[in-house]
């Protein structure tokens, strides 16, 4: 096994990982960035709508208030304030890096004013391309890149993460690092229908959990309201479509959002998703109607969506588009502080894999890409600034694998038990069904699909147990048996020895009263 020593190992090449690696490289650090797919893979390049940041200094407080309001009483207000204070400069810096943002700002659900920078409806792809170009150029400054590389396990010594074991296309590699930064995305792959990319198999969370790190609020899963679902594939129709004036109508042709929220189609995602589900159940279908916006405008503003729907025989400017909620973003993650530090020294996290306190119980639209910039940079700096112990290769943490055929069963169980509306009977039934599946096993030479399957198999019961413990409805977690909110709290789960420990802890950074939510 080849051995490599670096100052920082970054796992993931989306916006958080890429920006973290570039930040550390500019400081002269030895950096290794690994990604299990291509450099321009992951969720970032799939993002359509845009990237949110305050318009100016006067908008900081408004953007913070919009974020907190959408987060349903669980945002860490200090984290939110840091985010809005730092986001604008970093987002505007992307233009200098080659991202061709349009001059107009657009509006999305939950935002009080237009503040979304966009590149048509391919903003994520433009950002990913610009950052990837910078990463390749940074090789001259000592940045090392490994694509198609899977992180098998972390390495730990005396409670500190000191490196990881990698599976590259040619050979296994053991890495010793002053810091390990997880930027590996979320766990949308737990569900049968999702807008998340295939890479979203929760690898970073599983790595952290097996090493003993605390995971928080796994039950919060955001369903995007407007997806076009065919079979097991969900094609996203960006939030920006409603920002530009698209209407939601039911099967009787009625606009219905006035019955659910005064913000109508621009209500936060949790409200709109449940409203659409309720109208589909009541009338049979729901459509997104953009026809009044004009064909030429739609073709120019939404070329990606136009092309995607054309494959299904749908014309964005002529047809009402049948939409329904689909799993889009996973809010829970590895618990971190303001600087991306996890509960384990030497381990950091940023982006969708992390639970930083920014999103609370429900992410505000288009905050995720700017989150990656702010906290990717902060985590990289913290990893370089924190004192490093004496060099040691440490011990490998455990590795769980499963037959890839198990994944289909896991997804079916999760879709039934942890969907848009949950209940105790469904959650307990899901746990029983998971218990009947073969548990993750340990093998000397696992394949990457088997490792991904093992990660999903391990995370699924953790999410269901967290959802069962949260006996309330809040944001992305709705319980039919507990339709109201309680005092704000967090669910935290971690491994202690061979046992899994789940606790509920009060949320101490909120003045929000208990919520009473209409579950539609």
């Amino acid at each position: 096994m080849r051995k490599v020593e670096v100052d920082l190992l970054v796992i993931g090449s989306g916006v958080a990982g890429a920006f973290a690696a570039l930040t550390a490289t500019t400081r002269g650090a030895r950096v290794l960035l690994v990604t299990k797919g291509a450099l321009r893979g992951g969720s970032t390049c799939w993002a359509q709508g845009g990237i949110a940041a305050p318009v100016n200094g006067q908008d900081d407080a408004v953007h913070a208030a919009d974020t907190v309001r959408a987060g349903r009483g669980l945002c860490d207000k200090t984290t939110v304030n840091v985010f809005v204070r730092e986001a604008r400069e970093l987002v505007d810096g992307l233009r200098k890096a080659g991202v061709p943002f349009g001059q107009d700002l657009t509006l999305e659900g939950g935002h009080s004013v237009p503040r979304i920078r966009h590149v048509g409806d391919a903003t994520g792809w433009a950002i990913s391309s610009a950052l990837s170009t910078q990463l390749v150029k940074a090789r001259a400054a000592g940045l090392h890149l490994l694509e198609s590389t899977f992180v098998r396990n972390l390495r730990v010594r005396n409670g500190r993460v000191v490196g990881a074991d990698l599976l590259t296309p040619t050979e296994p590699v053991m890495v010793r690092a002053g810091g390990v930064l997880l930027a590996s995305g979320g766990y949308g792959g737990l569900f049968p229908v999702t807008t998340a990319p295939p890479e979203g198999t929760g690898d970073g969370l599983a790595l952290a959990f097996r090493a003993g790190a605390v995971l928080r609020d796994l039950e919060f899963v955001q369903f995007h309201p407007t997806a076009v679902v065919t079979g097991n594939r969900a094609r996203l129709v960006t939030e920006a479509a409603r920002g530009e004036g698209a209407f939601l109508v039911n099967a009787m042709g009625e606009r219905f959002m006035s019955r659910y929220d005064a913000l109508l189609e621009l209500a936060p995602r949790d409200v709109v998703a449940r409203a659409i589900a309720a109208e589909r159940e009541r009338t049979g279908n729901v459509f997104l109607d953009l026809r009044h916006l004009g064909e030429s405008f739609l073709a120019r503003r939404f070329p990606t969506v136009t092309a995607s729907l054309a494959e299904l025989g749908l014309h964005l400017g002529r047809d009402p588009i049948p939409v329904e909620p689909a799993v889009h973003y996973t809010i829970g993650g590895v618990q971190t502080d303001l600087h991306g530090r996890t509960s384990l020294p030497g381990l950091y996290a940023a982006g969708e894999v992390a639970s930083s306190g920014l999103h609370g119980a429900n992410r505000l639209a288009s905050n995720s890409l700017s989150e990656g910039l702010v906290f990717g940079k902060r985590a990289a700096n913290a990893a370089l600034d924190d004192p490093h112990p004496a060099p040691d290769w440490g011990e490998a943490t455990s590795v769980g694998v499963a037959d890839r055929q198990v994944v289909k069963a896991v997804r079916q169980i999760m879709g039934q038990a942890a969907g848009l509306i949950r209940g105790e009977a469904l959650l307990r039934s899901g746990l029983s069904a998971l218990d009947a599946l073969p548990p993750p096993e340990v093998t000397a030479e696992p394949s990457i699909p088997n490792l991904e399957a093992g990660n999903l198999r391990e995370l699924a019961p953790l999410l269901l147990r967290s959802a069962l413990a949260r006996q309330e409805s809040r944001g992305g977690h709705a319980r039919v048996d507990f339709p109201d909110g309680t005092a704000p709290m967090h669910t935290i789960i971690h491994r202690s020895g061979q046992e899994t420990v789940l606790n509920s802890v009060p949320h101490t950074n909120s003045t929000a009263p208990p919520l009473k939510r209409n579950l539609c």
Side-chain angles (χ1 to χ4, degrees), residues 412-435:
Q412 182 178 10
I413 292 166
M414 295 300 289
Q416 293 172 345
L420 191 62
I421 305 293
R422 303 162 178 177
E424 180 176 1
L426 284 173
L427 292 167
R428 291 195 181 280
S429 176
L431 283 168
S432 296
L434 289 174
D435 286 342

Side-chain angles (χ1 to χ4, degrees), residues 27 37 52 113 181 185 275 316 334 360 437 442 482 501 505:
R27 291 186 53 177
V113 299
L181 199 166
L316 200 61
V334 185
L437 297 177
V442 177
F482 293 100
V501 180
V505 299

Side-chain angles (χ1 to χ4, degrees), residues 297-352:
F297 170 78
L298 293 173
R300 182 175 68 256
R301 178 66 177 85
F302 303 116
T304 303
V305 175
T306 297
S308 176
L309 296 183
E311 296 175 0
L312 302 178
L314 293 171
H315 193 293
L316 200 61
R318 301 175 192 167
D319 302 317
I321 307 302
V323 293
E324 58 186 284
V327 169
H328 179 61
Y329 187 92
T330 47
I331 296 170
V334 185
Q335 182 175 331
T336 67
D337 68 5
L338 273 173
H339 301 279
R341 300 184 186 97
T342 72
S343 59
L344 291 180
L347 184 65
Y348 305 80
E352 191 174 359

Side-chain angles (χ1 to χ4, degrees), residues 209 213-219 428 431 461-471 479 489-496 499-505:
F209 177 74
V214 171
L215 310 186
R216 182 170 67 176
D217 295 340
L218 297 183
E219 65 275 20
R428 291 195 181 280
L431 283 168
L462 304 185
L463 188 156
L464 293 186
R465 288 180 61 180
S466 298
L468 196 59
R470 183 172 290 280
Q471 296 185 346
R479 290 278 299 262
M489 47 78 72
H490 296 282
T491 56
I492 60 174
I493 193 165
H494 65 98
R495 175 181 282 179
S496 178
E499 298 296 319
T500 297
V501 180
L502 172 66
N503 290 306
S504 296
V505 299

